[in-house]
Amino acid sequence: MIQIGCFFSLVGLGYYVVLNGAGFFNFAIGPYTMFSGLASSWLVFIQGWDLPQAILVGIAATIVLSVLTELLVVRPIERRSGGEELPALIAVVAVLYAIAQLAGTLFGRRPLPGRPWFYFENPIQVGLAYIDAQVIVSVVVTLLVFTALSLWLTFSPYGKIMRAVGDNQEAARTLGFPITRVRVIAFALAGLIAGIAGPLFASKAGVGFESGLSYSLFGFIALVLGGTGSPWAPLAGGMLLATIQIMSSYFFGSVWLNYATLAIAVVFFAIRPEGIFARRVRA
Amino acid sequence: MNDEAILVCEGLDKRYGAVQAVKGVTFSLHRGEILGLVGPNGAGKTTLVDLISGAQRQDAGFAAIRGKRLSGPPSRRARVNGLARTFQHPQVALELTVRENVLIGVTAPSLGSVGGLVLSVIKGCLSPDTAAEDLRVTSVAAAVGLPEITRRCSELTLGELRLVEVARALVADPSVILLDEPFAGGDVHGVASVSRALQEIVKTGASVILVDHNVDLVAALVNRIVLLNFGQILFDGDAKECLASPAMQDVYFGAAHL
Amino acid sequence: MISKLRQRGAWLETFSTLALVLIAIAYVQGDVYLEDVAILVATYSMIALGLYVPFIMGGALSMSYNAYLGIGAYAVAIIASKTGLGFGWGLPIGMALSAAVAVILGFATRRLSGFFLASVTVLFGIAFTSWLIASADLTGGGAGIPTFPTPVVFGVKLTHTIVVSIALLLVWIVAVLLARLRRSPFGVAVRASRRASTAVEASGIRISTIVLVSLALGAIIASLGGSMFALVNESVIPESFAIDIVFLTVFTPLLGGQSTPWGAVLGAFLVVLFTFELTMFKETGTLLFALAVLVVLVAAPRGLLGYASSGLKLLTSRLEPR
């Protein structure tokens, strides 16, 4: 459960970064995650590579895919359609589908297992949960990523610019901030985060070329639940979503996972789209 | 023009947090009258128009047309009370033609309810052509100054888009039309076409509230002026008197402006 | 007001498409494989046509169409196999249920737009398939409803061929009706509400109501498609109604061209071509389709028929007397 929560949080964080840097919900981030996970699994199990190299290739591939999405698809379409949201939405759904098909073609249509990053012999038992090494690794990596991003947003020059753009894109543009560069950086960062998340969680339940859609949806909900007020918000959202999913599965049956997720989405989107941590508008 | 009040506003109030956008606004519009609603930017004109049209809900007070209180969303007020409105930024579907945009005004009454919509779906599948409605669209559009109704609205100038809005409002045969800042961003041609459109409106017997911050332009076209500032009415009366009044001097040239 | 040329154009369109459909029906007669391809084209077309009014005309991306397809299909299957009623009842019951579901879902999501609306409706589509699998008593669960008896109407046994032919004709009928609806006051109102909704509202039309009617209409069309699909296959399984089918069909009107419902049909035909027909594309068919969609979205947004009609307009404007 913790592991799943961490996963949703990371995907949500990817959304957060692109939302701040480009004002856009990058629905293709689920497939990026899937691609990295599936690519590294394929390299390890089918091609016999070592895990670290496979993961690096996965991450690199995902960053490339993400940046290409911005350069080849999102930017030209946004430029052409001005105010309307619909064309960019359709385009990113098409990218979601295309990346899934690309993965299916490259890596085959059967799901592959993942490989844990570390092993130890006996899982530690904490209450009812068995914590194996991968869970600890997941938590550590997740916290590292969130911390690194937080620090980057607060202290690095591009990080600060991205926060400014996130607050008010129009103002940032008139002030002469390098919007296009920030957008590319945002997409690249999202690709990096997704690239890490994929192989990290592939070992939990395997990964297949069609997994990207669920990842996208759950990451989106994690973001909306947590809100857009702080880079740590998707962590709360992801944990909350994972808890609700596991609880409803446990008490009512596995099909209730989907019903519960739908219910959360309907309720939260309609009632509180700003999420738990609402952004404070700087007046 | 006679003295029958067709639109009455009584004690309208609207506040946003600490700001009182509209305060105790009370005035009447008479049948056949062209009323100018003027005031500097931020005076509350657009809020007042929104309150009347139903785009926003008032905190207190009411508005009524022919004695029937205005309530509900804008669509209801258009259908039930005969209210029509144009917008400062013309709300025109650019990918559709002039004919199609104006057609909305004609056909809206029959599309106003669920039953009407379902019937129109059935009718639309079986006999979609709208010869009678098109005739009305053509005549109103021509009268207002838009003879070529097959043009796509993306090709029109700002002034022409405003005329589309006026035509769309007029085909519905409204009792009251709210013209929201029809001169903003326009040029000499725009002004001329708006005043021509006004004459057409008057011919149909509708009453008009013309909202703008450019007092000189408005004063030349209207019978009466209501001057608004900080949400309150400072003057309500004859256009020429208004221009000369101390309230006007204050608002546009003096201390109140700061 | 519509120029003589355009009126003649409408009749031409109606008859030429009818001719094409009749030729297609004749072509697939008796060949089981071709008939299966044809029913796929018909089913995808019906989903795409169901998407046409709310999505292409109205601009709202509601993606739960696999649910409406499934409701139409399962309604026929359940009624034919479990009740004494004739299969024919399945069609209107499916359509009514789908419309009801669409209205409820539409009402719950009425304030949502864009990404939020798409997400919720996709989640609904996923939940629907889960529900199909979990509700074994009603739907046969994961195994579905394997067979039900061949329908008989007025003593005529509805063979595979007959049902496929009817399905293709239905696609033609729906497309023609939607093309007319598009020109009608209702269609103009839906199209205007996409970007000038304030004005439509100010003229007297409640946007929320017109959206619900559009969604219901789309659901009814998709349900009809699902019913035909079930009748041809004489069985239903949940996998046929997974959310993936929406991802395939949502792009078809964009590929084919948005300014006419025939674009949706053309797009559906192309999808089947890409993904099933051309054996050299066997493994990569869907990828090529996805890439083609992206290319069209970025570089050629008016779709095939859009560009074809511009070419035609160019020709006819040269021919029309000045």
Side-chain angles (χ1 to χ4, degrees):
Chain A
M1 181 166 91
I2 300 179
Q3 208 175 355
I4 296 179
C6 287
F7 180 54
F8 294 165
S9 312
L10 282 176
V11 181
L13 185 64
Y15 274 108
Y16 177 85
V17 170
V18 177
L19 186 62
N20 262 287
F24 180 71
F25 290 114
N26 188 3
F27 256 58
I29 198 170
Y32 299 158
T33 314
M34 172 280 299
F35 197 86
S36 174
L38 191 57
S40 44
S41 285
W42 183 79
L43 284 172
V44 167
F45 290 111
I46 310 280
Q47 301 292 324
W49 284 32
D50 284 329
L51 187 63
Q53 286 92 321
I55 294 179
L56 285 174
V57 169
I59 295 178
T62 308
I63 296 180
V64 167
L65 280 176
S66 182
V67 172
L68 282 180
T69 310
E70 152 70 356
L71 292 178
L72 295 179
V73 177
V74 179
R75 198 185 295 174
I77 290 192
E78 276 197 347
R79 196 180 293 154
R80 193 180 63 214
S81 58
E84 241 199 320
E85 187 185 33
L86 193 66
L89 167 61
I90 299 173
V92 78
V93 171
V95 171
L96 189 158
Y97 183 70
I99 294 183
Q101 297 307 314
L102 179 65
T105 308
L106 286 176
F107 309 125
R109 309 231 164 212
R110 286 172 311 136
L112 290 177
R115 170 163 290 170
W117 293 15
F118 287 107
Y119 290 106
F120 31 75
E121 278 307 309
N122 297 307
I124 311 171
Q125 186 171 3
V126 174
L128 281 172
Y130 284 93
I131 299 189
D132 62 24
Q134 190 64 7
V135 174
I136 297 182
V137 171
S138 311
V139 172
V140 168
V141 171
T142 303
L143 288 176
L144 275 175
V145 171
F146 268 88
T147 312
L149 188 74
S150 253
L151 291 173
W152 184 81
L153 277 176
T154 317
F155 295 114
S156 99
Y158 271 109
K160 293 189 204 173
I161 296 179
M162 190 176 295
R163 276 190 306 144
V165 170
D167 275 346
N168 188 335
Q169 195 173 80
E170 276 318 300
R173 182 175 291 138
T174 47
L175 286 172
F177 285 155
I179 300 267
T180 43
R181 216 175 306 158
V182 168
R183 288 175 65 110
V184 173
I185 293 178
F187 274 83
L189 272 180
L192 175 64
I193 297 173
I196 295 175
L200 193 60
F201 296 97
S203 62
K204 175 125 178 80
V207 59
F209 78 105
E210 294 187 307
S211 318
L213 177 62
S214 310
Y215 298 169
S216 279
L217 287 170
F218 298 156
F220 185 60
I221 297 177
L223 176 74
V224 176
L225 273 183
T228 51
S230 136
W232 289 93
L235 186 58
M239 288 302 180
L240 183 58
L241 178 63
T243 310
I244 296 180
Q245 283 195 343
I246 301 286
M247 290 288 134
S248 45
S249 248
Y250 183 70
F251 286 116
F252 302 114
S254 62
V255 73
W256 275 86
L257 193 149
N258 286 324
Y259 298 165
T261 311
L262 173 64
I264 296 174
V266 170
V267 167
F268 242 88
F269 288 5
I271 297 188
R272 243 211 111 132
E274 330 87 67
I276 302 176
F277 296 96
R279 152 156 297 193
R280 281 188 206 307
V281 175
R282 278 160 236 196
Chain B
M1 185 180 91
N2 58 33
D3 282 334
E4 177 198 340
I6 195 155
L7 167 71
V8 171
C9 291
E10 184 79 42
L12 284 174
D13 273 352
K14 178 71 182 179
R15 132 196 312 256
Y16 301 113
V19 178
Q20 186 87 25
V22 170
K23 186 166 174 183
V25 165
T26 301
F27 72 94
S28 311
L29 174 70
H30 305 105
R31 183 196 288 270
E33 183 175 37
I34 305 179
L35 177 71
L37 179 62
V38 299
N41 286 322
K45 305 188 300 294
T46 304
T47 311
L48 181 56
V49 170
D50 280 349
L51 292 180
I52 299 176
S53 74
Q56 296 195 59
R57 201 180 302 181
Q58 67 268 27
D59 297 328
F62 68 89
I65 291 182
R66 291 180 213 268
K68 261 211 290 207
R69 288 218 188 179
L70 301 180
S71 66
S75 51
R76 185 167 189 278
R77 300 184 192 202
R79 260 190 352 261
V80 170
N81 306 98
L83 182 64
R85 163 180 186 170
T86 69
F87 298 86
Q88 184 173 356
H89 301 290
Q91 298 286 312
V92 174
L94 295 176
E95 63 275 10
L96 300 182
T97 61
V98 173
R99 180 190 76 89
E100 287 168 327
N101 272 288
V102 179
L103 191 68
I104 306 248
V106 182
T107 57
S110 54
L111 297 175
S113 63
V114 178
L117 279 169
V118 173
L119 274 173
S120 74
V121 168
I122 297 175
K123 182 169 180 294
C125 290
L126 299 177
S127 64
D129 293 314
T130 48
E133 291 89 340
D134 285 343
L135 227 53
R136 179 145 172 80
V137 166
T138 316
S139 69
V140 171
V144 147
L146 286 171
E148 284 172 25
I149 59 172
T150 54
R151 289 168 64 200
R152 199 165 291 260
C153 289
S154 49
E155 299 165 14
L156 299 183
T157 66
L158 178 63
E160 288 170 322
L161 287 177
R162 293 229 160 84
L163 290 180
V164 172
E165 286 211 305
V166 172
R168 183 181 64 213
L170 270 183
V171 288
D173 222 356
S175 310
V176 176
I177 299 187
L178 306 170
L179 292 179
D180 194 359
E181 307 252 7
F183 301 123
D187 55 5
V188 184
H189 291 299
V191 174
S193 64
V194 170
S195 41
R196 178 182 166 178
L198 266 178
Q199 289 167 16
E200 281 309 314
I201 299 178
V202 164
K203 273 193 219 157
T204 70
S207 321
V208 181
I209 298 183
L210 175 61
V211 181
D212 208 278
H213 58 271
N214 187 324
V215 190
D216 299 312
L217 281 178
V218 172
L221 296 169
V222 306
N223 316 113
R224 205 171 113 231
I225 287 190
V226 165
L227 172 65
L228 201 69
N229 200 11
F230 300 120
Q232 289 177 284
I233 295 186
L234 300 178
F235 183 95
D236 181 347
D238 175 72
K240 295 217 173 34
E241 283 175 28
C242 179
L243 283 176
S245 75
M248 178 67 74
Q249 305 297 323
D250 263 342
V251 168
Y252 278 91
F253 307 111
H257 195 42
L258 292 169
Chain C
M1 284 304 112
I2 310 175
S3 76
K4 276 259 177 71
L5 207 64
R6 203 192 293 183
Q7 261 181 335
R8 252 183 257 147
W11 281 115
L12 188 64
E13 180 185 282
T14 310
F15 282 112
S16 58
T17 47
L18 179 60
L20 282 172
V21 169
L22 290 173
I23 292 174
I25 292 179
Y27 182 65
V28 307
Q29 286 288 311
D31 183 333
V32 177
Y33 174 69
L34 283 180
E35 285 176 357
D36 280 341
V37 172
I39 193 64
L40 266 177
V41 174
T43 310
Y44 289 174
S45 298
M46 291 297 262
I47 303 177
L49 288 170
L51 278 162
Y52 192 73
V53 176
F55 174 40
I56 300 296
M57 282 171 52
L61 185 52
S62 173
M63 290 185 73
S64 36
Y65 278 78
N66 63 312
Y68 310 138
L69 194 75
I71 291 176
Y74 271 83
V76 166
I78 292 174
I79 287 183
S81 61
K82 298 200 181 175
T83 69
L85 297 170
F87 77 96
W89 286 98
L91 276 89
I93 290 179
M95 293 198 280
L97 269 175
S98 292
V101 169
V103 168
I104 295 173
L105 185 61
F107 187 74
T109 56
R110 66 192 180 284
R111 275 192 244 283
L112 301 181
S113 65
F115 294 87
F116 295 95
L117 179 64
S119 316
V120 173
T121 50
V122 169
L123 282 170
F124 184 82
I126 293 177
F128 175 76
T129 323
S130 299
W131 175 80
L132 279 181
I133 297 176
S135 312
D137 289 340
L138 182 64
T139 64
I145 298 178
T147 46
F148 47 90
T150 310
V152 177
V153 168
F154 302 127
V156 177
K157 203 157 184 238
L158 291 187
T159 62
H160 202 250
T161 307
I162 295 182
V163 186
V164 170
S165 310
I166 296 179
L168 287 173
L169 272 174
L170 267 176
V171 169
W172 179 79
I173 294 175
V174 171
V176 167
L177 289 180
L178 284 186
R180 298 167 78 94
L181 189 63
R182 188 176 184 279
R183 295 204 311 265
S184 78
F186 177 81
V188 171
V190 172
R191 285 156 60 207
S193 67
R194 197 168 157 166
R195 277 195 261 181
S197 57
T198 330
V200 173
E201 184 88 43
S203 301
I205 302 172
R206 268 221 98 157
I207 296 288
S208 47
T209 323
I210 207 173
V211 166
L212 286 177
V213 172
S214 310
L215 288 172
L217 184 59
I220 289 174
I221 296 172
S223 172
L224 189 57
S227 298
M228 299 314 299
F229 183 72
L231 281 173
V232 168
N233 291 315
E234 289 176 0
S235 70
V236 283
I237 46 169
E239 282 75 47
S240 318
F241 307 105
I243 192 77
D244 310 54
I245 203 172
V246 182
F247 280 89
L248 266 182
T249 45
V250 77
F251 303 119
T252 52
L254 303 166
L255 256 187
Q258 300 179 47
S259 49
T260 155
W262 293 106
V265 178
L266 177 61
F269 177 70
L270 288 173
V271 166
V272 176
L273 208 64
F274 266 112
T275 57
F276 290 96
E277 256 297 274
L278 302 177
T279 44
M280 61 170 158
F281 290 148
K282 227 158 59 120
E283 269 307 303
T284 57
T286 41
L287 176 62
L288 283 170
F289 167 66
L291 291 173
V293 168
L294 276 174
V295 167
V296 166
L297 285 178
V298 177
R302 285 194 291 142
L304 282 169
L305 288 181
Y307 290 104
S309 91
S310 307
L312 206 65
K313 260 186 219 148
L314 208 63
L315 267 171
T316 54
S317 71
R318 298 242 173 94
L319 294 173
E320 221 172 64
R322 293 219 164 268

